[in-house]
Coordinates of all heavy atoms in Angstrom, one line a residue:
R103 N 69.2 -59.4 4.2 CA 69.6 -59.0 2.9 C 69.6 -60.2 2.0 O 70.3 -61.2 2.3 CB 71.0 -58.3 3.0 CG 71.4 -57.4 1.8 CD 72.7 -56.7 2.1 NE 73.1 -55.8 1.0 CZ 74.2 -55.2 1.0 NH1 75.1 -55.4 2.0 NH2 74.5 -54.4 0.0
V104 N 68.9 -60.1 0.9 CA 68.9 -61.2 -0.1 C 69.8 -60.8 -1.3 O 69.5 -59.9 -2.0 CB 67.5 -61.6 -0.5 CG1 67.5 -62.7 -1.5 CG2 66.6 -61.9 0.7
L105 N 70.8 -61.6 -1.5 CA 71.8 -61.2 -2.5 C 71.9 -62.4 -3.6 O 72.1 -63.5 -3.2 CB 73.2 -61.0 -2.0 CG 73.3 -59.9 -0.9 CD1 74.8 -60.0 -0.3 CD2 73.0 -58.6 -1.4
E106 N 71.7 -62.1 -4.8 CA 71.9 -63.1 -5.9 C 73.3 -63.0 -6.3 O 73.8 -61.9 -6.7 CB 70.9 -62.8 -7.1 CG 71.1 -63.9 -8.2 CD 70.3 -63.6 -9.4 OE1 69.9 -62.4 -9.6 OE2 70.1 -64.6 -10.2
L107 N 74.0 -64.1 -6.3 CA 75.4 -64.1 -6.8 C 75.4 -64.0 -8.3 O 74.7 -64.8 -9.0 CB 76.1 -65.4 -6.4 CG 76.5 -65.5 -4.9 CD1 77.0 -66.9 -4.6 CD2 77.6 -64.5 -4.6
D108 N 76.0 -63.0 -8.8 CA 76.2 -62.9 -10.3 C 77.4 -63.6 -10.7 O 78.5 -63.0 -10.8 CB 76.3 -61.4 -10.6 CG 76.2 -61.1 -12.1 OD1 76.4 -62.1 -12.9 OD2 76.0 -60.0 -12.5
L109 N 77.3 -64.9 -11.0 CA 78.4 -65.7 -11.3 C 79.1 -65.4 -12.6 O 80.3 -65.5 -12.7 CB 78.0 -67.2 -11.3 CG 77.5 -67.8 -10.0 CD1 77.1 -69.2 -10.1 CD2 78.5 -67.7 -8.9
A110 N 78.3 -64.9 -13.5 CA 78.9 -64.5 -14.8 C 79.8 -63.3 -14.6 O 80.9 -63.2 -15.2 CB 77.7 -64.1 -15.8
A111 N 79.4 -62.3 -13.8 CA 80.2 -61.1 -13.6 C 81.5 -61.6 -12.8 O 82.6 -61.0 -13.1 CB 79.4 -60.1 -12.8
M112 N 81.3 -62.5 -11.9 CA 82.4 -63.0 -11.1 C 83.5 -63.7 -12.0 O 84.7 -63.6 -11.7 CB 81.9 -63.9 -10.0 CG 82.8 -64.0 -8.8 SD 82.0 -65.0 -7.5 CE 80.7 -63.9 -7.0
A113 N 83.0 -64.4 -13.0 CA 83.9 -65.2 -13.8 C 84.5 -64.4 -14.9 O 85.5 -64.8 -15.5 CB 83.1 -66.4 -14.4
A114 N 83.9 -63.2 -15.2 CA 84.4 -62.4 -16.4 C 85.8 -62.0 -16.2 O 86.2 -61.4 -15.2 CB 83.5 -61.2 -16.6
G115 N 86.6 -62.3 -17.2 CA 88.0 -61.8 -17.2 C 89.0 -62.7 -16.4 O 90.2 -62.4 -16.3
T116 N 88.5 -63.7 -15.8 CA 89.4 -64.6 -15.0 C 90.0 -65.6 -16.0 O 89.5 -66.0 -17.0 CB 88.6 -65.4 -14.0 OG1 87.5 -66.2 -14.6 CG2 88.0 -64.5 -13.0
S117 N 91.2 -66.0 -15.6 CA 92.0 -66.9 -16.5 C 91.9 -68.4 -16.1 O 92.4 -69.3 -16.8 CB 93.5 -66.5 -16.4 OG 94.0 -66.6 -15.1
G118 N 91.2 -68.7 -15.0 CA 91.0 -70.1 -14.5 C 90.2 -70.1 -13.3 O 89.9 -69.1 -12.6
P119 N 89.9 -71.4 -12.8 CA 89.1 -71.6 -11.6 C 89.7 -70.9 -10.4 O 88.9 -70.4 -9.5 CB 89.1 -73.1 -11.5 CG 89.3 -73.6 -12.8 CD 90.3 -72.6 -13.5
A120 N 91.0 -70.9 -10.2 CA 91.6 -70.3 -9.0 C 91.3 -68.9 -8.9 O 91.0 -68.4 -7.8 CB 93.1 -70.6 -9.0
E121 N 91.4 -68.1 -10.0 CA 91.2 -66.7 -10.0 C 89.7 -66.4 -9.7 O 89.3 -65.5 -9.0 CB 91.6 -66.1 -11.3 CG 91.6 -64.5 -11.3 CD 92.1 -63.9 -12.6 OE1 92.6 -64.7 -13.4 OE2 91.9 -62.7 -12.8
F122 N 88.8 -67.2 -10.3 CA 87.4 -67.1 -10.1 C 87.0 -67.3 -8.7 O 86.3 -66.6 -8.0 CB 86.7 -68.1 -11.1 CG 85.2 -68.2 -10.8 CD1 84.4 -67.0 -10.8 CD2 84.5 -69.4 -10.7 CE1 83.0 -67.1 -10.6 CE2 83.2 -69.5 -10.5 CZ 82.4 -68.3 -10.5
Q123 N 87.6 -68.4 -8.1 CA 87.3 -68.7 -6.7 C 87.9 -67.7 -5.8 O 87.4 -67.4 -4.7 CB 87.8 -70.1 -6.4 CG 87.0 -71.2 -7.1 CD 87.6 -72.6 -6.8 OE1 88.5 -72.8 -5.9 NE2 87.2 -73.6 -7.5
G124 N 89.0 -67.0 -6.2 CA 89.5 -65.9 -5.4 C 88.6 -64.7 -5.3 O 88.8 -64.0 -4.3
R125 N 87.7 -64.6 -6.2 CA 86.7 -63.5 -6.1 C 85.5 -64.0 -5.2 O 84.9 -63.2 -4.6 CB 86.2 -63.1 -7.5 CG 87.2 -62.5 -8.4 CD 86.7 -62.2 -9.7 NE 87.7 -61.5 -10.6 CZ 87.4 -61.1 -11.8 NH1 86.2 -61.3 -12.4 NH2 88.4 -60.5 -12.5
F126 N 85.2 -65.3 -5.3 CA 84.1 -65.8 -4.6 C 84.3 -66.0 -3.1 O 83.5 -65.7 -2.3 CB 83.7 -67.2 -5.2 CG 82.5 -67.9 -4.6 CD1 81.3 -67.3 -4.8 CD2 82.6 -69.0 -3.9 CE1 80.1 -67.9 -4.2 CE2 81.6 -69.7 -3.4 CZ 80.3 -69.1 -3.5
I127 N 85.5 -66.5 -2.7 CA 85.8 -66.8 -1.3 C 85.7 -65.5 -0.4 O 85.1 -65.7 0.7 CB 87.2 -67.4 -1.2 CG1 87.2 -68.8 -1.8 CG2 87.7 -67.4 0.2 CD1 88.6 -69.4 -1.9
P128 N 86.2 -64.3 -0.8 CA 86.0 -63.2 0.1 C 84.6 -62.9 0.4 O 84.2 -62.4 1.6 CB 86.7 -62.1 -0.6 CG 87.7 -62.7 -1.5 CD 87.0 -64.0 -1.9
I129 N 83.7 -63.0 -0.5 CA 82.2 -62.8 -0.3 C 81.7 -63.8 0.7 O 81.1 -63.4 1.7 CB 81.4 -62.8 -1.6 CG1 81.8 -61.7 -2.5 CG2 79.9 -62.8 -1.3 CD1 81.1 -61.7 -3.8
C130 N 82.0 -65.1 0.5 CA 81.5 -66.1 1.4 C 82.1 -65.9 2.8 O 81.4 -65.9 3.8 CB 82.0 -67.5 1.0 SG 81.0 -68.1 -0.4
R131 N 83.4 -65.6 2.9 CA 84.0 -65.4 4.2 C 83.5 -64.2 4.9 O 83.3 -64.2 6.1 CB 85.5 -65.4 4.1 CG 86.3 -65.3 5.4 CD 87.7 -65.6 5.3 NE 88.3 -65.6 6.6 CZ 89.6 -65.9 6.9 NH1 90.4 -66.2 5.9 NH2 90.1 -65.8 8.1
G132 N 83.4 -63.1 4.1 CA 82.9 -61.9 4.7 C 81.5 -62.0 5.3 O 81.3 -61.5 6.4
I133 N 80.7 -62.7 4.6 CA 79.3 -62.9 5.1 C 79.3 -63.8 6.3 O 78.6 -63.6 7.3 CB 78.4 -63.4 4.0 CG1 78.2 -62.3 2.9 CG2 77.0 -63.8 4.5 CD1 77.5 -62.7 1.7
A134 N 80.1 -64.9 6.1 CA 80.1 -66.0 7.2 C 80.6 -65.4 8.5 O 80.1 -65.8 9.6 CB 80.9 -67.2 6.7
E135 N 81.7 -64.6 8.5 CA 82.3 -64.2 9.7 C 81.4 -63.1 10.4 O 81.6 -62.9 11.6 CB 83.6 -63.6 9.5 CG 83.7 -62.3 8.6 CD 85.1 -61.9 8.4 OE1 86.1 -62.6 8.8 OE2 85.3 -60.8 7.7

Side-chain angles (χ1 to χ4, degrees):
R103 202 172 181 187
V104 180
L105 304 174
E106 180 185 23
L107 287 172
D108 188 346
L109 297 178
M112 202 176 292
T116 58
S117 57
E121 189 177 350
F122 174 48
Q123 293 177 12
R125 296 178 177 180
F126 181 68
I127 290 172
I129 292 179
C130 285
R131 183 166 183 176
I133 292 171
E135 65 183 1

